[in-house]
Amino acid sequence: MRSSVHLPIRSKLESYIAARGIKKSWIADQLGISKSYFSQMTKTDNNGILQNAMSAEYLIKLAYVLNCKVEDIAEYAEG
């Protein structure tokens, strides 16, 4: 039986891609998903916390596509 653990993850993706002029549609293409699904995966609340659980696999793939570290685009939001 799997237990589901939700860790609050703060996205730094918006500022990262804006600073580099990267288009979200290009990122979605590189990940092999639709732009709307990518937008859904990366939706945040007012505090920048991801609203939908993004798997570690996608975070790693995203960092690979962007040629950066996972820590450049996401961080654990303590307390």
Side-chain angles (χ1 to χ4, degrees), residues 28-66:
D29 286 345
Q30 297 304 304
L31 293 172
I33 59 176
S34 69
K35 185 180 175 195
S36 63
Y37 184 63
F38 179 71
S39 292
Q40 188 177 33
M41 276 181 21
T42 58
K43 184 178 180 179
T44 61
D45 65 12
N46 293 336
N47 296 315
I49 306 299
L50 287 170
Q51 293 299 288
N52 301 306
M54 186 183 301
S55 70
E57 178 184 3
Y58 269 108
L59 277 173
I60 291 168
K61 284 181 180 180
L62 188 52
Y64 177 80
V65 164
L66 296 173

Side-chain angles (χ1 to χ4, degrees), residues 7-17 20 31 50 54-77:
L7 297 174
I9 303 295
R10 180 171 291 112
S11 175
K12 301 188 282 184
L13 184 60
E14 288 294 328
S15 60
Y16 187 89
I17 63 175
R20 287 154 184 81
L31 293 172
L50 287 170
M54 186 183 301
S55 70
E57 178 184 3
Y58 269 108
L59 277 173
I60 291 168
K61 284 181 180 180
L62 188 52
Y64 177 80
V65 164
L66 296 173
N67 195 29
C68 68
K69 296 179 183 177
V70 171
E71 295 85 12
D72 293 335
I73 56 173
E75 65 186 359
Y76 173 64

